[in-house]
Amino acid sequence: MTAPVDVLTLGEALVSLRSSGPLALGGPLTMHLAGAETNVAIGLARLGHRAAWVGRVSDDELGEFVLRQLRAEGVGTDGVRRDPDRPAGLMFLERRTADLSRVQYQRTGSAGSALTCDDVAGPLAAGARVLHLSGITPAVSDSAREATMFAARQAAAAGITVSLDVNYRARLWSRDAARAVLTPLAGYASIVIASVDELDLVAGPGTDEPGVVAELLGRGVQTVLVKLGADGARAYTRDGAQHLAAVPVTAVDTVGAGDAFTAGYLSGHLDGLDLRDRLRRAVALGAFAVTAHGDWEGLPRRDELSLLTGNAAGTTLR
C-alpha cells in the first residue's frame, strides 16, 4: 500500500506560452507549465516533501508535456486522468513593458475544467498530511467547484489539514460569486492565505483585515496569512500577529510568487517549524520565485534555502 503523501493538491494545470514582447507582433513563444496548485506542488517537491497533484490533462502531446514536467520535478501524478475529449488549457503571457506583463487565457472547456468529485475521491482516500486548495479551481467550472468543496469536506472530516489560498482571478468570476463560494470553503480550512485585497472574499463584503481575521479564527481557522508583496507578510493566530519583511532581491518576474510563498509556509508546517520560521521560509521562497522567469523554475532545493540570506547581491559562488 502506498504511504500517504505530505501534500495533495488539485486543480487545473495550464500550458503557458510566453512571449518576450507584444503577442500581436508575433515572434517566438516558449512553453512552460503553469497553474497555482502545480506551482505549490513543485515548490514542496523541490524541498524534499512528498507532493502529489490531482487533475485532468488532455490526451495529446500537451497533456504529456504537463505530466513530464511534473514527474521530472518529483510530483506524484498517479491521480491524474487523461481526457480524450477536451483540450489542454492555455495561458498566453506577454511581456508588454519591462514592468508589466499581460495574460490571456484559452481554458473554457479544457480537460482541467472537467475535474469531478470522482477524480478526487481516490487520491484523497489514500491519505495526506495536508490538502492544499486554491480559489482558482472552483472558479473554472461547476464540476470543479463541487470537487473542491467535496475535497475540503472530506479532508476536514478525516483530520487532514486543509490549506486554502484565495488566489482570486477577476477574469474567471465576480467578487460576489467568489465570496459566495470561498467564504463557506474557508470554514473547512486550518490555514487561509490571501492578499490584502482578497480578504473580504472569505468574509462579509467591506470587512477590514482585523474583522476578517477575527471571523476566520472564530470559525476554527488556525492561521491566517496575509501576503504583502514587497512588504513581506503577516501571520495571525489565536496567540497574536507576526510580521516579517520580504527578502530584498532584484525582481524580474513576479508570476508565481504567491504560490512559492505558500509552498514555503507549508514546508515549514510539515517540518514542525514555529510560526516565525515558517514565515521566514515562505518569504524566502517568494523571493526565489521573483528572481527568475517562469512560475516555478527559480524555486530552490532544500540545500539552497540560505542562498538569498547568506550572500550579498551580485555574489558569485565559486
Side-chain angles (χ1 to χ4, degrees):
M1 182 177 177
T2 304
V5 297
D6 292 322
V7 177
L8 180 68
T9 70
L10 59 94
E12 181 184 27
L14 299 169
V15 175
S16 174
L17 300 169
R18 287 175 165 249
S19 170
S20 60
L23 287 169
L25 298 182
L29 298 171
T30 57
M31 191 160 72
H32 304 260
L33 169 65
E37 299 83 7
T38 52
N39 292 343
V40 172
I42 289 171
L44 287 161
R46 285 201 175 180
L47 294 178
H49 302 287
R50 297 186 66 239
W53 175 76
V54 176
R56 291 194 183 198
V57 300
S58 56
D59 193 15
D60 57 15
E61 289 77 8
L62 295 182
E64 186 63 30
F65 170 78
V66 170
L67 292 176
R68 285 173 62 88
Q69 293 288 97
L70 290 171
R71 290 167 181 162
E73 291 296 330
V75 175
T77 59
D78 288 348
V80 177
R81 286 187 59 181
R82 304 295 294 264
D83 192 323
D85 301 318
R86 296 176 178 86
L90 303 179
M91 180 177 83
F92 294 87
L93 190 146
E94 60 178 343
R95 192 69 176 269
R96 194 60 189 84
T97 72
D99 300 313
L100 176 68
S101 294
R102 188 162 57 184
V103 171
Q104 296 183 36
Y105 295 107
Q106 292 185 10
R107 65 199 305 180
T108 302
S110 70
S113 71
L115 185 72
T116 68
C117 297
D118 288 343
D119 295 331
V120 175
L124 195 58
R129 293 175 62 187
V130 176
L131 171 69
H132 176 66
L133 306 170
S134 91
I136 298 174
T137 306
V140 298
S141 71
D142 291 344
S143 67
R145 180 164 58 255
E146 292 169 3
T148 304
M149 294 297 294
F150 169 82
R153 285 194 302 269
Q154 294 295 109
I160 296 170
T161 296
V162 178
S163 164
L164 172 65
D165 187 347
V166 173
N167 242 333
Y168 176 66
R169 295 291 184 269
R171 293 191 182 185
L172 294 178
W173 53 358
S174 69
R175 296 186 72 87
D176 287 343
R179 187 178 299 110
V181 173
L182 298 180
T183 296
L185 183 61
Y188 296 105
S190 297
I191 302 165
V192 172
I193 306 157
S195 300
V196 172
D197 63 347
E198 296 173 331
L199 282 169
D200 73 318
L201 299 179
V202 287
T207 309
D208 62 9
E209 185 171 321
V212 173
V213 170
E215 179 179 329
L216 290 173
L217 295 179
R219 294 168 62 198
V221 175
Q222 295 176 8
T223 307
V224 181
L225 301 170
V226 183
K227 297 178 288 186
L228 304 172
D231 292 325
R234 281 190 288 269
Y236 297 90
T237 68
R238 292 178 182 84
D239 296 326
Q242 295 198 35
H243 174 264
L244 197 66
V247 177
V249 293
T250 301
V252 300
D253 185 353
T254 60
V255 176
D259 303 326
F261 174 91
T262 296
Y265 184 85
L266 293 179
S267 172
H269 169 83
L270 292 165
D271 284 349
L273 302 183
D274 63 24
L275 182 61
R276 190 78 175 173
D277 285 339
R278 294 180 194 182
L279 272 181
R280 187 170 287 112
R281 186 171 294 180
V283 298
L285 256 70
F288 271 102
V290 303
T291 59
H293 292 286
D295 283 33
W296 50 266
E297 284 83 344
L299 297 183
R301 308 293 178 188
R302 186 170 284 263
D303 61 0
E304 297 176 317
L305 280 171
S306 63
L307 283 178
L308 294 181
T309 56
N311 299 287
T315 297
T316 299
L317 300 179
R318 300 181 185 276

